[in-house]
């Protein structure tokens, strides 16, 4: 992204996003061309506020996203690094431009700051509302760079009580610990990174840790960020996200949504990118489809855990594969839910004991792990935010996850989907609409 002293903050390039946005965009173009899609921003920490000045800077920056485009050199690199991206899709991406008119951005002041906001006070506090609407094949690329942009603006406009001191050393030490423990891991930190500079620093540091420790049995598998994968000549990592399953469910029905989503994905990627995300409608709902056709267990190389209790996941995975007569030791588990070094080491130990292969996608713990400059040792919190697909073709989309009482989407549809999968509905349910 741009120098933090500049007013406008933009991605470093069109590639400054995660691989799975491109792989899903190609799949949407093949299966659902022209279908309208909407996205909605949720900021989960209600005690953390933006300011009017932050919002206006974000508005100005978002309005300039249409200046980004794929260069000829980037296209050539994509063709070599990601041969599963077809020439026709690369033509589409080369012509792609963000359309800021697809964005609806609003600043909602706190009740105490309504008067200050009405008078244009840049320090007025409030929340930012973001909605995106347009063809799904276009709007799909807004999520990751828009959140990265907002995070960088927040931490250079609102919360400036931090600095870069020790960031390289911290990332180096984390990587060294993981590598020496035999962990295979990828950097997954684009969306909630503190800044582009942070992202670049930590990527350099973890790769340096690998070079400096050639006898370590672990490995830096790559990064989800396409721009940094190109810059550092590492493997782009990622396959499929919740929104694929969410969109397929809304468009094709929920009765066998996981099986349908996997089959449609295979039609685009018959022999690559076959790591299945299990928790969109809960992992147990996923297994109901997974066990009905042994092909999935045989052909897909592994499963990704992204919510719920990670220590329950591996034993259950082993049980499911054994139930199907598939050698679980030949399959891969990827853990990617709020990981830090300590959690990764414990999960690695568990998987080793179970005879399972595992890998880790580590995000915010690498790209946004800071302390307050003014208070020794106190953590400087990352923004706890998401942008989720909210509808396709006018139909609401939902995510249940393995945090069964914390759901995303239209409340009536959430209830309907829970009923289909026999998931308990309780008064404790929290639905983020």
């Amino acid at each position: 992204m741009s120098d933090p002293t500049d007013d406008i903050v933009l991605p470093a390039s069109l590639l400054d996003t995660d691989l799975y946005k491109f792989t899903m965009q190609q799949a949407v173009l093949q299966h659902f061309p022209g279908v309208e899609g909407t996205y909605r921003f949720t900021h989960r920490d209600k005690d953390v506020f933006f300011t009017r000045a932050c919002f206006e800077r974000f508005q100005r920056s978002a309005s300039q996203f249409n200046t980004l485009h794929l260069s000829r050199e980037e296209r050539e690199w994509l063709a070599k690094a990601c041969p599963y991206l077809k020439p026709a899709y690369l033509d589409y991406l080369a012509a792609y431009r963000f359309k800021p008119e697809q964005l609806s951005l609003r600043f909602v002041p706190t009740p105490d700051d309504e008067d200050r906001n009405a008078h244009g006070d840049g320090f007025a506090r409030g929340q930012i509302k973001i909605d995106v609407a347009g063809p799904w094949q276009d709007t799909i690329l807004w999520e990751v760079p828009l959140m990265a942009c907002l995070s960088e603006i927040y931490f250079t406009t609102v919360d400036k009580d931090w600095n870069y001191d020790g960031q390289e050393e911290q990332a180096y030490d984390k990587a060294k610990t993981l590598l020496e423990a035999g962990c295979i891991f990828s950097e997954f930190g684009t969306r909630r990174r503190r800044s582009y500079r942070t992202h670049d620093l930590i990527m350099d540091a973890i790769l340096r840790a690998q070079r400096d420790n050639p006898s370590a049995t672990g490995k830096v598998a790559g990064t989800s960020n396409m721009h940094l994968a190109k810059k550092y000549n590492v493997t782009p990592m990622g396959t499929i996200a919740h929104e694929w399953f969410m969109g397929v469910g809304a468009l094709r029905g929920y009765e066998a949504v996981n099986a349908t989503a996997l089959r449609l994905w295979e039609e685009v990627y018959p022999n690559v990118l076959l790591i299945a995300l299990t928790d969109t409608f809960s992992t147990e709902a996923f297994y109901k489809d997974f066990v009905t056709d042994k092909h999935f267990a045989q052909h897909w190389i592994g499963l990704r855990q992204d919510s719920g209790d990670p220590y329950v996941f591996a034993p259950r995975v082993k049980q499911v594969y054994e139930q199907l007569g598939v050698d679980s030791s030949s399959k891969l588990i990827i853990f990617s839910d709020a990981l830090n070094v300590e959690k990764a080491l414990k999960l690695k130990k568990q998987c080793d004991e179970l005879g399972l292969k595992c890998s880790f996608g580590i995000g915010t713990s690498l790209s946004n792990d800071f302390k307050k400059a003014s208070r020794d040792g106190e953590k400087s919190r990352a923004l706890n935010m998401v942008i989720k697909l909210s509808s396709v073709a006018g139909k609401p989309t939902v995510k249940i996850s393995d945090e069964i009482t914390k759901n995303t989407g239209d409340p009536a549809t959430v209830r309907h989907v829970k009923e289909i999968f026999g998931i308990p509905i309780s008064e404790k349910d929290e639905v983020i609409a």
Side-chain angles (χ1 to χ4, degrees):
M1 292 219 172
S2 312
D3 186 317
T5 60
D6 291 344
D7 182 66
I8 300 296
V9 175
L10 290 175
S13 84
L14 189 67
L15 294 185
D16 190 9
T17 190
D18 288 336
L19 170 62
Y20 67 22
K21 301 307 295 189
F22 295 131
T23 56
M24 288 190 297
Q25 185 180 44
Q26 179 171 250
V28 169
L29 279 164
Q30 178 166 326
H31 288 297
F32 306 111
V35 169
E36 291 291 301
T38 65
Y39 291 79
R40 179 161 294 163
F41 171 78
T42 300
H43 182 221
R44 291 165 170 161
D45 289 336
K46 302 308 179 186
D47 62 336
V48 176
F49 299 100
F50 300 96
T51 63
R52 183 179 179 86
C54 172
F55 169 71
E56 291 177 347
R57 188 178 174 201
F58 178 58
Q59 268 190 317
R60 290 192 294 273
S61 297
S63 72
Q64 298 299 309
F65 268 49
N66 59 357
T67 62
L68 300 168
H69 65 276
L70 191 72
S71 71
R72 180 177 298 179
E73 180 190 7
E74 288 172 332
R75 178 186 170 135
E76 291 172 355
W77 175 81
L78 276 175
K80 292 177 182 177
C82 307
Y84 42 81
L85 297 179
K86 300 167 187 175
Y89 170 70
L90 294 178
D91 288 344
Y92 179 86
L93 195 60
Y96 180 88
R97 297 294 185 275
F98 282 104
K99 298 174 181 176
E101 62 269 22
Q102 293 173 341
L103 296 179
S104 172
L105 308 177
R106 294 183 296 122
F107 181 70
V108 181
T110 64
D112 290 342
D113 282 9
E114 286 180 355
D115 188 61
R116 294 173 69 187
N117 182 65
H119 288 85
D121 186 340
F123 292 101
R125 301 172 309 150
Q127 294 295 343
I128 290 176
K129 304 294 183 182
I130 304 170
D131 288 286
V132 187
W136 189 12
Q137 65 206 44
D138 292 343
T139 54
I140 195 168
L141 291 191
W142 277 106
E143 173 201 351
V144 174
L146 204 60
M147 283 200 292
C149 171
L150 179 57
S151 181
E152 181 160 341
I153 289 173
Y154 174 82
F155 284 109
T156 53
T157 306
V158 181
D159 182 357
K160 297 185 282 186
D161 187 14
W162 59 277
N163 57 51
Y164 289 100
D165 293 353
Q167 277 294 302
E168 291 175 86
E169 294 82 0
Q170 176 178 263
Y172 182 98
D173 290 344
K174 288 179 179 180
K176 184 172 182 286
T177 299
L178 291 165
L179 293 165
E180 289 177 343
C183 293
I184 298 172
F185 70 97
S186 300
E187 186 285 315
F188 273 17
T190 307
R191 294 183 300 162
R192 300 186 186 99
R193 69 190 183 195
R194 180 76 37 137
S195 64
Y196 172 79
R197 179 183 171 189
T198 306
H199 207 175
D200 194 36
L201 285 173
I202 64 101
M203 195 66 215
D204 181 73
I206 64 176
L207 291 172
R208 183 158 42 85
Q210 180 167 255
R211 291 193 301 271
D212 290 351
N213 296 274
S215 62
T217 55
K219 180 183 178 183
V220 180
T223 174
S224 61
N225 185 283
M226 301 295 282
H227 166 74
L228 293 177
K230 178 178 181 295
K231 178 176 180 178
Y232 288 101
N233 192 30
V234 297
T235 304
M237 301 298 292
T239 57
I240 189 169
H242 296 109
E243 74 174 280
W244 178 250
F245 296 86
M246 294 165 69
V248 170
L251 292 167
R252 297 290 180 90
Y254 292 99
E255 292 295 340
V257 57
N258 291 292
T260 302
L262 296 181
R263 289 192 186 100
L264 290 173
W265 189 260
E266 279 189 44
E267 290 178 16
V268 187
Y269 306 105
N271 298 299
V272 293
L273 305 177
L274 298 178
I275 296 286
L277 182 59
T278 64
D279 70 326
T280 307
F281 307 108
S282 82
T283 293
E284 288 305 315
F286 174 87
Y287 288 146
K288 288 178 182 177
D289 282 354
F290 196 65
V291 300
T292 60
D293 189 340
K294 192 175 179 179
H295 163 80
F296 296 133
Q298 292 174 322
H299 190 58
W300 286 65
I301 67 170
L303 305 173
R304 178 158 75 94
Q305 187 271 342
D306 199 51
S307 66
D309 185 346
Y311 302 102
V312 171
F313 191 79
R316 183 72 174 109
V317 166
K318 182 171 181 145
Q319 182 184 52
V320 168
Y321 279 122
E322 288 179 348
Q323 175 186 336
L324 291 166
V326 174
D327 181 7
S328 60
S329 68
S330 68
K331 299 300 177 179
L332 176 67
I333 295 175
I334 296 181
F335 294 97
S336 60
D337 179 31
L339 291 178
N340 55 31
V341 171
E342 180 183 8
K343 188 186 290 187
L345 295 180
K346 289 179 179 178
L347 290 167
K348 174 70 163 64
K349 182 175 183 293
Q350 183 194 48
C351 286
D352 286 347
E353 292 170 350
L354 290 167
L356 299 172
K357 295 186 294 185
C358 66
S359 180
F360 305 92
I362 304 179
T364 307
S365 177
L366 287 172
S367 68
N368 203 335
D369 186 7
F370 284 79
K371 300 289 192 298
K372 289 184 179 292
S374 65
R375 302 176 195 174
D376 187 36
E378 184 176 335
K379 190 170 182 62
S380 173
R381 289 159 58 188
L383 290 175
N384 186 8
M385 57 181 177
V386 295
I387 292 178
K388 288 292 183 186
L389 184 70
S390 53
S391 75
V392 284
K395 300 176 181 179
T397 58
V398 299
K399 175 173 172 276
I400 307 301
S401 88
D402 285 328
E403 300 287 347
I404 299 299
T405 63
K406 296 181 180 179
N407 315 134
T408 303
D410 171 65
T413 307
V414 166
R415 190 177 187 90
H416 171 64
V417 172
K418 282 191 161 188
E419 288 172 348
I420 287 174
F421 293 118
I423 298 170
I425 300 168
S426 77
E427 295 179 358
K428 295 181 179 179
D429 282 5
E430 299 175 25
V431 179
I432 301 172

